[in-house]
């Protein structure tokens, strides 16, 4: 395929894969798309290991890194507040609610020495302070793209990218966000609609893409949210996007390190089985509905705390659930869930990531040819 996104990023197909799994990054990149490693939850040491491995795997093809520096979070206006200080601000009622869920669902405590991974020392999760050491690692590798989620990339991210010849992108759920990202210096806007897995706004992809394409022209746009097939890719490109950015579809690939029970739930889920919930991160994020999201929506819930207090509150409970979730009948199995978009309804088979890319290209060609036959 040939278009501005292929040229800008030096890739064969304008298909970008957001994933936390380095094997998916390498597989998609080798298949001619571009894998982008979601690194917000990595420690700098883990990121270093993963980027070294990916660099060795992809034979010089470009890949990317995605970080989260939100436009708004608790502590930002105070110049950055540490994780331990933020932890002290969590109300007792919220701690009790989480412990009560663990007790009612019979989720065992963690063995001695086990616990949530922690990067960036005492920096708060999903904060600028946590992202800086990750940027240091990312820019020491031959990445082709750096992406920011939940806000415009901070000035030093853009400046360092320019210095290293790295392209910059950011996710937008509204045209106004996209315009701000362009003013901040991005080379690409990722227009992500309501259907998407993870943090997402309330405007559907079908409406959002043309709005953003028009608002930021001539800056190229990638379409995200609900794209997992070549037919959806053709629709996105018809709306004016010049590439696609997919997240959910990789979660049931052979390479994905999705929790086995959650992978099983995804394969069985329909497109009605997701919802937006603030119960994981404090901001609305689409995920599979489970006993966890139901508990936070129940009358007894004190309501989720804002980012990053909620992830600090639930960090250990999430690890406890993941460790104990072995089957659907256990309490932990009922609670277990993960971020995923409405496209989960079409994710019914485990496939290699490269096959997802190539099927998407084949279906795209079929869709375009079918449309062409409608012309006189
Ligand atoms: C499991 C999961 C985690 C995500 N985490 C992030 C993230 O850390 N940073 C980010 O930019 N986007 C994140 N997203 C959103 C994706 O980048 C992407 O925009 C979205 O998945 C596209 O919609 P889709 O899920 O319908 O493919 C996440 C999505 C999923 C499914």
């Amino acid at each position: 395929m040939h278009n501005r996104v292929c040229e800008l990023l030096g890739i064969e197909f304008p298909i970008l894969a957001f994933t936390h799994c380095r094997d998916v990054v390498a597989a998609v990149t080798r298949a001619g798309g571009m894998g982008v490693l979601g690194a917000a939850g990595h420690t700098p040491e883990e990121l270093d290991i993963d980027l070294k491995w990916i660099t060795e795997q992809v034979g010089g093809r470009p890949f990317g890194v995605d970080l989260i520096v939100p436009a708004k979070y608790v502590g930002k206006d105070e110049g950055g507040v540490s994780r331990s200080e933020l932890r002290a601000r969590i109300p007792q009622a919220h701690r009790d609610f989480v412990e009560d869920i663990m007790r009612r669902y019979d989720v065992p405590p963690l063995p001695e020495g086990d616990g949530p991974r922690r990067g960036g020392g005492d920096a708060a999760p999903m904060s600028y302070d946590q992202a800086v050491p990750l940027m240091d690692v990312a820019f020491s590798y031959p990445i082709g793209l750096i992406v920011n989620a939940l806000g415009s990339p901070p000035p030093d991210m853009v400046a360092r990218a320019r210095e290293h010849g790295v392209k910059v992108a950011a996710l937008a759920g509204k045209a106004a966000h996209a315009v701000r990202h362009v003013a901040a210096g991005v080379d690409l806007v990722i227009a992500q609609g309501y259907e998407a897995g993870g943090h997402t706004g309330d405007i559907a992809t079908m409406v959002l893409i043309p709005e953003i394409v028009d608002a930021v022209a001539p800056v190229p746009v990638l379409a995200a949210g609900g794209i997992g097939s070549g037919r959806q890719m053709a629709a996105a490109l018809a709306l004016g996007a010049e590439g696609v950015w997919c997240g959910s579809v990789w979660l049931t690939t052979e390479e994905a390190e999705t929790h086995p029970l959650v992978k099983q739930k995804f394969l069985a889920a329909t497109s009605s089985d997701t919802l937006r919930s603030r119960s994981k991160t404090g901001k609305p994020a689409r995920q599979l509905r489970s006993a966890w999201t139901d508990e936070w929506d129940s009358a007894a819930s004190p309501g989720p705390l804002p980012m990053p207090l909620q992830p600090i509150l639930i960090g250990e409970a999430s690890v406890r659930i993941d460790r104990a979730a072995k089957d659907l009948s256990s309490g932990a199995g009922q609670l277990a869930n993960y971020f995923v978009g409405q496209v989960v309804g079409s994710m019914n088979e485990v496939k290699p990531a490269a096959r997802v890319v190539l099927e998407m290209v084949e279906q795209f060609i079929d869709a375009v040819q079918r449309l062409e036959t409608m012309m006189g």
Side-chain angles (χ1 to χ4, degrees):
M1 292 181 68
H2 305 283
N3 70 11
R4 292 194 300 164
V5 166
C6 293
E7 273 168 37
L8 187 76
L9 300 176
I11 54 180
E12 210 175 324
F13 307 123
I15 298 175
L16 283 87
F18 170 89
T19 171
H20 295 120
C21 175
R22 67 183 191 177
D23 298 78
V24 175
V25 173
V28 172
T29 302
R30 281 199 305 260
M34 183 189 243
V36 179
L37 186 70
H42 280 60
T43 66
E45 295 73 25
E46 288 168 340
L47 183 59
D48 192 45
I49 292 168
D50 280 2
L51 295 184
K52 183 165 185 291
W53 184 86
I54 293 167
T55 306
E56 286 164 5
Q57 296 293 314
V58 295
R61 287 174 182 257
F63 61 93
V65 169
D66 176 288
L67 298 173
I68 300 184
V69 180
K72 288 185 202 144
Y73 56 92
V74 176
K76 187 179 184 194
D77 298 340
E78 299 162 66
V81 179
S82 69
R83 174 191 285 271
S84 32
E85 284 173 75
L86 289 173
R87 179 179 288 285
R89 294 185 194 177
I90 293 176
Q92 191 57 43
H94 283 80
R95 298 169 199 261
D96 293 345
F97 181 65
V98 172
E99 250 337 287
D100 189 50
I101 296 176
M102 297 294 98
R103 188 186 51 72
R104 283 188 287 115
Y105 286 83
D106 206 13
V107 183
L110 291 173
E112 193 77 33
D114 197 357
R117 293 169 309 138
R118 212 149 272 166
D122 200 25
M126 299 175 186
S127 68
Y128 173 76
D129 292 341
Q130 193 199 31
V132 171
L134 296 172
M135 265 194 264
D136 292 342
V137 176
F139 286 119
S140 71
Y141 283 90
I143 58 170
L145 179 69
I146 190 147
V147 181
N148 195 56
L150 298 180
S152 293
D156 55 339
M157 192 187 281
V158 177
R160 293 176 75 176
R162 294 274 171 275
E163 208 178 291
H164 289 85
V166 175
K167 303 296 178 214
V168 187
L171 279 79
K174 281 186 181 174
H177 299 162
V179 170
R180 277 208 291 275
H181 297 341
V182 171
V186 300
D187 302 288
L188 273 170
V189 170
I190 302 163
Q192 191 212 250
Y194 174 76
E195 303 90 312
H199 294 117
T200 190
D202 52 15
I203 304 173
T205 300
M206 191 80 166
V207 171
L208 185 72
I209 306 303
E211 274 185 13
I212 290 190
V213 166
D214 291 348
V216 303
V219 174
V221 172
L222 299 177
I227 300 166
S229 74
R231 283 185 289 167
Q232 286 154 336
M233 178 174 166
L237 270 58
L239 293 171
E242 291 178 68
V244 293
W245 169 272
C246 310
S248 293
V249 75
W250 316 110
L251 295 168
T252 48
T253 57
E254 271 176 25
E255 293 88 343
E257 287 161 4
T258 311
H259 187 292
L261 189 72
V262 174
K263 208 178 208 177
Q264 200 181 315
K265 287 189 179 189
F266 284 172
L267 290 167
T270 73
S271 48
S272 304
D273 293 333
T274 72
L275 79 179
R276 288 195 315 158
S277 167
R278 297 199 296 115
S279 62
K280 278 195 182 301
T281 69
K283 290 189 192 277
R286 186 172 299 284
Q287 53 201 277
L288 197 70
R289 182 179 166 196
S290 77
W292 175 261
T293 58
D294 287 350
E295 287 293 338
W296 282 95
D297 283 339
S298 71
S301 164
L305 294 167
M307 181 179 280
L309 298 178
Q310 186 73 6
I312 295 174
L313 168 68
I314 68 158
E316 189 174 321
S318 301
V319 179
R320 283 172 66 179
I321 293 168
D322 283 354
R323 297 278 191 274
K326 301 273 188 269
D327 59 72
L328 293 170
S329 59
S330 66
Q334 291 164 38
L335 291 166
N337 80 335
Y338 196 45
F339 305 112
V340 76
Q342 292 180 339
V343 78
V344 71
S346 315
M347 293 159 44
N348 304 321
E349 196 192 334
V350 177
K351 300 176 193 174
R355 206 167 105 207
V356 175
V357 174
L358 298 178
E359 284 181 359
M360 213 181 271
V361 173
E362 281 167 15
Q363 292 161 357
F364 171 79
I365 294 168
D366 287 348
V368 172
Q369 285 174 345
R370 193 164 46 81
L371 294 178
E372 266 171 9
T373 61
M374 294 178 199
M375 305 298 287

